[in-house]
Amino acid sequence: IAVRITIESEKTLTEEESRYIEKECKQITLQNYRLLFLTKYIVGLLEENKLRVVVLKGVSTAQYYPVPELRKSGDVDLLLLDTDKIGLVKQILLTNGFKIYEEQLANHHISFLSEEGISIEIHTMLAEPFDNGKINRYLDRMVKDKQLETDTIYAMELELPVLSKAYYAYELLLHMMQHFLRSGFGLKLLCDWVVFWQYPVEENEKSTYLRLLEESRVKGFSDLVTQTCVKYLGMPEEEVQWMNCTTEYPCEEFMKEVIEA
C-alpha cells in the first residue's frame, strides 16, 4: 500500500518532526487496514453461520473522518445481536484459529486473540454494566428484545453492518460515559463525537436518539459532551441545536479531566 501524507501546520516542522509524524501515520494506516480486513473476515465467518453482528467503534467510526485510515485504533469490537448464541460464536472462532483469553475481564463480552495478536471483543450488550441497575436492565432488554436498529456502511470500500445512526451515537456516548466514570478518556472520543455529528442525520434518527437519552436518563452527559465539543473542538453549534442543550454544564472542568486522562 502506497501512502502519501501531507502534513499541514501553522508552524514550520523540523525534518526530524516531519519524519516522525510520517512514520507514525504510515504505521497507523497499515494497522487500520489489518483491522479492517480482520473485521470483514470475522463478520463473514459469523454471517455464514446465520449469526447477526454489527461493528462497534474502530473502522466503523473512522469512516466519518476526512482520512479514515488515520484514526488510530487497536482492536476489533463486534456486538452480537443473537445474544443466546454466544457459545456458537466461541466455537466458530476457536475452530478458525483464534484463541480465547484465559482471563476474561468483563461480564458481557468475550475476548479473543488473532494469530497476529490483535484483540477481538464479542459484546452482548451496548456497554459493560454500570453501577446503576436500572440502566443495566434497560440496555440488556434493548438487545434481547431486538430493539436495536441496524444499517450498512462502506468503510474504506468494504461493506460492514453497523447500528443505525441514533443507536450508533448512543453507543458512542455510553462508551465515553463508562470510561469517564471509571478511568477517564482522551481526546479521540471527543473527536469521534465532533466528526460523527457533522454528517446529515434524518429527523427520525434525531427523535430516536433523544428518546434513548430520556429513557436511560443520560441526556445531561450528552449535553455536557456536546457543549464541550462546541466550545473547544469546533463543533458547529447550529448543527446540534436540535439536541436542546439548555442547561449550562462545567465544560472547562470536564475538558481538563479529559486532557489529564
Side-chain angles (χ1 to χ4, degrees):
I1 300 170
V3 181
R4 178 175 177 80
I5 297 160
T6 302
I7 301 169
E8 296 182 6
S9 175
E10 291 182 1
K11 81 179 190 73
T12 302
L13 299 176
T14 66
E15 186 176 343
E16 183 180 359
E17 289 170 335
S18 297
R19 281 200 306 269
Y20 173 79
I21 293 173
E22 186 168 359
K23 178 183 176 183
E24 288 294 309
C25 289
K26 286 181 178 179
Q27 288 177 344
I28 292 170
T29 299
L30 291 172
Q31 173 70 355
N32 278 337
Y33 276 108
R34 290 190 190 100
L35 292 173
L36 174 65
F37 296 131
L38 179 61
T39 300
K40 182 66 175 179
Y41 173 66
I42 296 172
V43 168
L45 278 179
L46 300 180
E47 288 182 342
E48 284 173 10
N49 288 273
K50 311 301 182 186
L51 293 168
R52 298 178 306 129
V53 293
V54 291
V55 181
L56 302 177
K57 300 171 285 189
V59 295
S60 56
T61 302
Q63 65 164 321
Y64 295 103
Y65 281 78
V67 184
E69 292 87 347
L70 293 181
R71 181 195 179 272
K72 192 170 185 179
S73 189
D75 56 12
V76 174
D77 288 274
L78 300 176
L79 174 65
L80 176 66
L81 301 180
D82 302 310
T83 56
D84 58 329
K85 297 180 179 177
I86 188 68
L88 179 56
V89 172
K90 182 178 176 181
Q91 177 186 333
I92 292 168
L93 292 185
L94 290 176
T95 302
N96 284 275
F98 295 90
K99 296 179 181 178
I100 191 167
Y101 278 93
E102 292 184 9
E103 184 179 6
Q104 297 290 323
L105 300 177
N107 296 322
H108 291 273
H109 76 246
I110 299 181
S111 298
F112 296 86
L113 200 65
S114 74
E115 293 178 354
E116 290 181 303
I118 297 173
S119 175
I120 301 105
E121 294 182 357
I122 308 294
H123 300 257
T124 56
M125 277 181 64
L126 275 181
E128 286 300 307
F130 290 89
D131 293 332
N132 185 306
K134 187 173 182 179
I135 190 172
N136 291 336
R137 289 190 293 273
Y138 177 78
L139 296 176
D140 189 44
R141 197 166 57 247
M142 183 183 290
V143 179
K144 287 183 177 178
D145 294 350
K146 305 187 187 306
Q147 297 175 21
L148 295 174
E149 298 169 4
T150 61
D151 199 356
T152 301
I153 60 161
Y154 284 89
M156 292 181 272
E157 307 303 324
L158 288 185
E159 186 178 288
L160 293 171
V162 295
L163 294 169
S164 70
K165 286 193 174 180
Y167 283 89
Y168 197 94
Y170 185 60
E171 191 276 331
L172 284 179
L173 183 76
L174 292 178
H175 184 60
M176 278 191 282
M177 187 174 177
Q178 200 155 57
H179 277 286
F180 181 69
L181 293 173
R182 295 184 177 172
S183 57
F185 64 85
L187 279 171
K188 182 173 72 171
L189 296 186
L190 289 184
C191 293
D192 290 346
W193 197 248
V194 174
V195 298
F196 178 83
W197 290 117
Q198 286 182 352
Y199 278 73
V201 181
E202 300 293 332
E203 291 302 317
N204 64 312
E205 296 278 13
K206 295 177 182 178
S207 298
T208 300
Y209 177 70
L210 292 176
R211 174 178 61 80
L212 294 171
L213 297 183
E214 293 296 341
E215 288 179 353
S216 54
R217 300 177 184 270
V218 295
K219 187 176 186 302
F221 187 71
S222 174
D223 290 355
L224 169 61
V225 169
T226 301
Q227 288 178 14
T228 301
C229 289
V230 168
K231 187 172 182 178
Y232 293 106
L233 294 180
M235 174 183 273
E237 190 170 7
E238 63 274 12
E239 292 183 0
V240 291
Q241 285 180 344
W242 59 270
M243 291 187 186
N244 301 317
C245 304
T246 52
T247 305
E248 289 294 325
Y249 287 92
C251 298
E252 183 176 350
E253 288 81 357
F254 179 67
M255 191 64 172
K256 285 179 179 177
E257 289 201 33
V258 169
I259 291 172
E260 287 171 4

